[in-house]
Amino acid sequence: MNPAPSVLALSGGVGGAKLALGLQRVLPPGELAVLVNTGDDFTHLGLRICPDLDTVLYTLAGVVHPKQGWGRDAETFGFMDELRRQGGPDWFLLGDRDLVLHVERTRRLAAGERLTRITAAFAQRFGVPTQLLPMADSEVATLLDTDAGPLEFQHYFVRLRCEPRVRSLVFAGAAQARPPEELATVLRSSALRAIIIAPSNPFLSIDPLLAVPGLRAALRAARVPVVAVSPLIGGRAVKGPTAKIMGELGLAADTASIARHYAGLIDGLVVDEADADEAGTLGLRFAVTRTLMRDDADRERVARTALQLAERLAA
Ligand code: FO1
């Protein structure tokens, strides 16, 4: 039986998975739990696809495609080649190995299994010691209202390459969603000592989590420090459309906007050296490091910086 997790991370996207790996590498096995965004999930070719769960799983298992940060390394695309030959939709790349998770997840969901249990089974088969928790077992879909009309997340993010201008976001199904009971167990445990919000896109990857009723209150009720790692470096996102979306939502792409977005939820913020001066003006406890994560040493350093800030906040 895994020891009860001492750290809970909130994660979505490639950046979140990188910090989760840093945390897994600096913590004893079994002491990390990751609450993962499922707003990016969709049904494609009749398969239920959960990109953020799979990205964290592959990253923590050490089998993620190193350059992309999503999908498998050592992948083949025989399925995609044949799909194209048949004129099927080929805008969303599905590798032959990657496909197995989508097929098995779809089969097991149809058999009535909860997404949390299916994900735990996948993690165990990959030898991943970290507890992966979807934010809900029921479907929640991030929908974007854009100047190209309403778009499901993957159509915006992949098919249209984040080009449409975003006016607003909704998380369809969030009101009916509930966090999995396994999350309450983690938050109630006396072993828990920190909650870390990964440098994921706050609007696309963290807000869906916080839209699940009762989740934000449950995080605060755990009465442990909540530390976020800023997704911006000098006003720019490391990867993805964070800065672009902030501009489209009328926000300045700066540390102050990130701090304001998480106000009331976080006790501390980890910022990049480029933003150290600004961080000092926010009235928030903060820590400074180089937050760009290019290799495992970087990922461990950012993870340690966040955990050390949480410890200082708990003292
Ligand atoms: N991202 C792309 O840019 N192009 C793709 O074809 C693509 C396929 C894909 C398949 C499985 C999977 O788990 C992720 C995939 N991603 C792809 C990444 C995904 O769209 C994003 O990483 C997340 O949804 C962003 O949080």
Side-chain angles (χ1 to χ4, degrees):
M1 175 63 183
N2 274 346
S6 58
V7 176
L8 172 70
L10 273 52
S11 171
V14 168
K18 288 191 163 78
L19 183 69
L21 181 58
L23 288 165
Q24 178 174 275
R25 291 173 66 92
V26 302
L27 289 167
E31 291 216 10
L32 175 65
V34 187
L35 185 68
V36 184
N37 169 42
T38 57
D40 295 6
D41 300 3
F42 71 142
T43 298
H44 182 60
L45 303 173
L47 299 172
R48 191 69 191 154
I49 298 178
C50 302
D52 283 354
L53 280 169
D54 293 348
T55 295
V56 175
L57 176 62
Y58 291 155
T59 302
L60 295 182
V63 300
V64 76
H65 187 288
K67 271 193 248 352
Q68 286 172 177
W70 54 265
R72 291 288 300 267
D73 62 358
E75 186 60 282
T76 54
F77 291 92
F79 173 84
M80 286 305 296
D81 293 345
E82 288 310 306
L83 180 66
R84 275 191 201 96
R85 187 197 310 272
Q86 295 304 328
D90 64 353
W91 59 271
F92 194 78
L93 289 179
L94 293 167
D96 298 332
R97 284 188 168 80
D98 186 42
L99 262 176
V100 170
L101 290 196
H102 313 315
V103 170
E104 267 298 276
R105 179 185 298 115
T106 303
R107 178 183 69 80
R108 294 174 71 158
L109 285 169
E113 226 179 319
R114 286 189 304 129
L115 182 59
T116 300
R117 295 302 314 139
I118 297 167
T119 306
F122 288 167
Q124 190 180 12
R125 294 266 179 175
F126 273 104
V128 169
T130 295
Q131 189 177 6
L132 299 185
L133 297 174
M135 68 192 199
D137 282 319
S138 59
E139 294 184 8
V140 178
T142 298
L143 303 179
L144 301 97
D145 180 31
T146 77
D147 59 359
L151 291 170
E152 270 194 14
F153 182 86
Q154 297 301 338
H155 289 263
Y156 162 77
F157 194 85
V158 178
R159 189 166 58 81
L160 299 176
R161 290 181 307 283
C162 306
E163 281 156 14
R165 296 181 58 76
V166 175
R167 295 198 184 102
S168 64
L169 298 139
V170 295
F171 307 121
Q176 294 74 30
R178 290 289 169 275
E181 72 221 22
E182 289 83 350
L183 177 68
T185 306
V186 170
L187 291 174
R188 213 180 13 240
S189 152
S190 57
L192 189 70
R193 59 183 168 84
I195 295 171
I196 309 292
I197 300 180
S200 307
N201 184 318
F203 309 91
L204 296 183
S205 298
I206 303 299
D207 281 359
L209 292 169
L210 302 177
V212 175
L215 201 136
R216 181 189 269 260
L219 296 175
R220 292 306 306 166
R223 306 188 62 69
V224 299
V226 179
V227 169
V229 178
S230 175
L232 298 177
I233 296 178
R236 298 174 55 76
V238 173
K239 181 181 174 70
T242 302
K244 175 175 181 286
I245 281 189
M246 291 178 82
E248 290 162 1
L249 295 176
L251 300 168
D254 60 15
T255 308
S257 295
I258 299 297
R260 237 188 326 271
H261 191 72
Y262 287 140
L265 175 61
I266 66 172
D267 305 296
L269 186 64
V270 175
V271 301
D272 186 81
E273 290 168 343
D275 302 297
D277 296 344
E278 185 190 359
T281 68
L282 301 177
L284 195 65
R285 298 288 292 279
F286 67 96
V288 180
T289 187
R290 286 190 319 285
T291 55
L292 185 62
M293 295 180 279
R294 280 158 308 197
D295 57 24
D296 284 345
D298 287 349
R299 293 169 197 130
E300 290 178 26
R301 186 189 63 254
V302 178
R304 282 202 181 89
T305 305
L307 292 174
Q308 286 157 4
L309 177 54
E311 274 157 30
R312 286 204 302 279
L313 287 162

